[in-house]
Amino acid sequence: MPNEQLQRLLPQIIEDLASRGWSRQDAFLPATLTHELAEECRRRAREGALNPAGTGRGQGLAVREGVRGDHIQWLEAGQAEACDQYLAAMDALRQALNRAFFLGLEDYESHFALYPPGAFYQKHLDRFRDDDRRTLSAVFYLNADWQPEQGGALRLYPEGGGELDVLPTAGTLVLFMSAELPHEVLPASRERLSLTGWFRRR
Ligand code: OGA
Ligand code: MN
């Protein structure tokens, strides 16, 4: 991401996170890069590189399709130019957030996620009971021309009641405090692609 773009979005992101613990940006990365990331995700899916996601950690890790039905692959640097650009953008964001909040965010882990039609992820928090490193969650959506009637919203349950739906439209980034904001993924009538990740502290 060009640095000026991040500088332009940062004040709003910082204000949102400080005031309510979550933020949404509609055009976080350029459309061409977002499109390349979607193509990369589809290519990996075709090659069979995506696997059913598990829930829990360590001994408790298991695939539970009644809990979450997405297929994922963790990102590693150096695999694809588009992914490296995405990782660079998230690292620039990590450093900027550290300067603003003294959060001590040390790294960023992230995976492609593909929800087949009908798949969902039940209401949950992103922090593991036995591992509190995940601090800030980031979901970047890759789906061109998403229509509300196709479902697939990320439903947030902010403190103080109510619920808020975010459509998984290409270019949209959602950030939220991993330990504080319950959320779920509603089923969709079409395939739903994203890059989901977590800024972690030590
Ligand atoms: C997750 C998650 C949200 C989304 O993977 O933990 O909540 O909108 N994803 O894909
Ligand atoms: Mn989650």
Side-chain angles (χ1 to χ4, degrees):
M1 167 171 50
N3 206 34
E4 318 83 67
Q5 161 83 345
L6 179 60
Q7 295 314 319
R8 196 165 54 72
L9 301 178
L10 257 180
Q12 189 64 54
I13 292 176
I14 289 169
E15 144 111 37
D16 287 347
L17 291 178
S19 62
R20 60 184 193 193
W22 65 274
S23 182
R24 165 187 166 182
Q25 299 296 320
D26 288 336
F28 181 67
L29 294 178
T32 45
L33 177 55
T34 304
H35 177 76
E36 283 166 21
L37 290 166
E39 286 296 298
E40 178 68 15
C41 184
R42 277 189 281 266
R43 190 180 66 74
R44 293 180 186 211
R46 273 197 308 274
E47 289 176 355
L50 274 51
N51 292 304
T55 53
R57 265 188 90 244
Q59 300 275 316
L61 178 65
V63 173
R64 300 177 183 91
E65 275 178 29
V67 177
R68 69 184 287 191
D70 56 332
H71 291 63
I72 68 166
Q73 190 191 33
W74 291 94
L75 288 198
E76 279 166 42
Q79 294 175 324
E81 173 61 25
C83 295
D84 286 353
Q85 286 184 37
Y86 162 77
L87 290 173
M90 298 314 281
D91 202 62
L93 178 59
R94 180 185 68 80
Q95 294 179 41
L97 292 174
N98 276 342
R99 284 191 293 272
F101 292 120
F102 307 102
L103 280 172
L105 304 176
E106 200 176 54
D107 65 8
Y108 181 68
E109 58 171 4
S110 154
H111 60 61
F112 279 115
L114 185 156
Y115 288 74
F120 55 86
Y121 194 158
Q122 284 182 354
K123 188 174 174 182
H124 65 281
L125 287 172
D126 280 351
R127 186 169 277 189
F128 297 118
R129 251 170 297 235
D130 59 343
D131 180 347
D132 62 1
R133 283 179 301 164
R134 286 183 174 182
T135 303
L136 186 67
S137 304
V139 194
F140 183 64
Y141 298 108
L142 306 176
N143 310 287
D145 306 315
W146 195 277
Q147 302 301 319
E149 57 272 20
Q150 293 171 331
L154 168 66
R155 179 163 290 172
L156 306 173
Y157 296 88
E159 215 179 29
E163 53 191 47
L164 197 139
D165 286 356
V166 179
L167 293 184
T169 305
T172 298
L173 176 76
V174 181
L175 297 166
F176 56 90
M177 300 308 291
S178 306
E180 284 160 28
L181 188 62
H183 56 281
E184 70 178 309
V185 177
L186 303 179
S189 59
R190 59 178 267 200
E191 203 169 73
R192 177 190 191 275
L193 311 180
S194 63
L195 276 162
T196 302
W198 296 271
F199 295 100
R200 301 186 303 183
R201 55 185 164 216
R202 203 185 295 273

